[in-house]
Amino acid sequence: PVTRTCKKTGDKKELNIEEYGVGFAIANKMKKFLYNVIPINSRIIICIIRFEIRTTKQDDAMLSCCHSRDAMWIDFQAKADVSKAFFDDIESALKPIKMRKHWAKCLDNTDPSYVVEQFPEVAEFVELMKSFDPEGKFRNTQGESWFKVMDDIISKSSKEVRATEEEKKSDA
């Protein structure tokens, strides 16, 4: 959560800020999501402070949510103390249409193996990160923990692929 201060009252509130990107080519599915899922979720009335939709053009950055696809974003700011279940519901609704989370916004609410699946160049990025910054001097604690988990997932997946390939060779 992040803390925001109200300009009018000076009150401080802890917020969860979550941002999800989906390929623009499937924006009609997002439209259906917006019309059908959000209005019937009673928790939205309790926790949403701000809501935004925007679009961005595709790029070729390794960990960009717009990697190889134009994207439509749905961005929420919500009261931290009541929003966990709401965001769990949102993620469940968006996973079938291949949402990608914004790297700086509440990754701790997302399954790391899902994140690894959504970014085709994450394995190459993790290897480059380890070679350019082996001591982790340019990473914060949260980023370091996430990249360690992702590296473990990538390593395990690579071992499983090699084992399957070796099994196929021995059967042949």
Side-chain angles (χ1 to χ4, degrees), residues 98-132:
K98 308 286 187 218
M99 68 89 176
R100 292 178 181 165
K101 287 283 289 265
H102 189 293
W103 282 99
K105 299 185 179 174
C106 288
L107 278 176
D108 52 334
N109 290 345
T110 303
D111 174 18
S113 59
Y114 177 81
V115 174
V116 168
E117 291 171 15
Q118 297 310 308
F119 293 90
E121 295 186 30
V122 71
E124 184 180 352
F125 177 85
V126 169
E127 287 306 312
L128 285 170
M129 182 186 65
K130 290 191 296 188
S131 69
F132 283 107

Side-chain angles (χ1 to χ4, degrees), residues 30-39 51 53 72 74:
M30 177 66 108
K31 183 178 172 182
K32 183 178 177 182
F33 165 79
L34 293 172
Y35 280 117
N36 295 325
V37 176
I38 289 179
F51 171 82
I53 296 175
M72 183 169 119
I74 181 169

